[in-house]
Amino acid sequence: GQQVMQIPQYQHVQEGEDFTTYCNSSTTLSNIQWYKQRPGGHPVFLIQLVKSGEVKKQKRLTFQFGEAKKNSSLHITATQTTDVGTYFCAGTNTGNQFYFGTGTSLTVIP
Amino acid sequence: NAGVTQTPKFQVLKTGQSMTLQCAQDMNHEYMSWYRQDPGMGLRLIHYSVGAGITDQGEVPNGYNVSRSTTEDFPLRLLSAAPSQTSVYFCASSYSWQGAYTFGSGTRLTVV
């Protein structure tokens, strides 16, 4: 079946440092979504990427979809304590199911 | 606008007991799904529905049943609870299966 792998599983950064999480699929994805889950909370939708090579920005967050549509990344510039949480990617190729990655847990040290 | 409402928030069950986790959305979303979240495993799809009267299995359906009699409600039934079903359960909905998902606040279930 389809697998969506996410690395790293954990990341600790000093406040102000940059952070990147990567999402890789064994198959070509039709689109990919990113979610953020605060500790003790529920996943919240951040963005969706559809086109090959697409890049989208939300303030300090930059999202990329690979040219082959098999990978994606989320980059946070100058992390803040409000960025703490787990970031999930979710992708789909065919059918009507999204497969979530295992998530990257981000800790920001003040 | 309440979004996706899940009840209960916490539940402790004994092995072998059955129960229903409730999920309701007021956004007129056609697509609804149930996930379980376990440490290091991410979110795994249990069952999903593309509209009233239609349900299908996800990655980990064993031990769970669902029904979708209305657009708004999508309950998840545990038939005979097992300790392996200890997890956090999330219900999510979307206007389409490719749209942005709105998640409920979750149900933390412990089976002893």
Side-chain angles (χ1 to χ4, degrees), chain A residues 43-90:
Chain A
V44 175
F45 175 79
L46 294 177
I47 208 160
Q48 178 166 276
L49 304 172
V50 179
K51 299 176 183 176
S52 170
E54 189 171 13
V55 178
K56 287 188 176 180
K57 292 189 176 184
Q58 290 180 349
K59 298 182 179 179
R60 295 177 295 103
L61 278 61
T62 301
F63 303 85
Q64 289 188 316
F65 201 8
E67 293 290 341
K69 300 185 76 174
K70 284 188 172 183
N71 55 72
S72 181
S73 65
L74 159 59
H75 180 83
I76 302 178
T77 303
T79 54
Q80 301 176 358
T81 55
T82 54
D83 296 324
V84 165
T86 300
Y87 293 84
F88 291 97
C89 62

Side-chain angles (χ1 to χ4, degrees), chain B residues 1-5 24-27 102-103:
Chain B
N1 190 343
V4 178
T5 302
Q25 52 91 10
D26 61 359
M27 298 171 284
T102 300
F103 281 80

Side-chain angles (χ1 to χ4, degrees), chain B residues 12-80:
Chain B
V12 179
L13 288 179
K14 293 182 179 179
T15 297
Q17 286 185 318
S18 62
M19 80 159 295
T20 299
L21 307 185
Q22 301 291 344
C23 176
Q25 52 91 10
D26 61 359
M27 298 171 284
N28 202 32
H29 284 170
E30 289 294 326
Y31 191 93
M32 296 186 74
S33 52
W34 276 101
Y35 291 87
R36 60 176 290 172
Q37 185 173 32
D38 303 292
M41 303 289 287
L43 291 155
R44 293 183 292 170
L45 183 65
I46 304 171
H47 285 285
Y48 64 97
S49 169
V50 299
I54 305 169
T55 64
D56 207 345
Q57 297 181 351
E59 302 171 74
V60 289
N62 292 340
Y64 308 94
N65 273 354
V66 291
S67 60
R68 185 93 181 271
S69 56
T70 67
T71 299
E72 294 78 20
D73 300 299
F74 191 43
L76 177 72
R77 296 183 186 85
L78 278 71
L79 308 172
S80 177

Side-chain angles (χ1 to χ4, degrees), chain A residues 2 9-10 30-31 33 35 37 40-45 48 88 92-103, chain B residues 31 35 37 39-45 48 50 56-59 90 95 97-106 108:
Chain A
Q2 180 178 344
Q9 188 172 359
Y10 302 97
S30 59
N31 55 19
Q33 297 177 350
Y35 291 79
Q37 183 178 23
H42 58 275
V44 175
F45 175 79
Q48 178 166 276
F88 291 97
T92 187
N93 52 2
T94 59
N96 47 16
Q97 300 181 31
F98 264 91
Y99 292 91
F100 278 78
T102 50
Chain B
Y31 191 93
Y35 291 87
Q37 185 173 32
M41 303 289 287
L43 291 155
R44 293 183 292 170
L45 183 65
Y48 64 97
V50 299
D56 207 345
Q57 297 181 351
E59 302 171 74
F90 287 103
Y95 61 89
W97 71 274
Q98 292 196 76
Y101 287 39
T102 300
F103 281 80
S105 58
R108 186 173 297 272

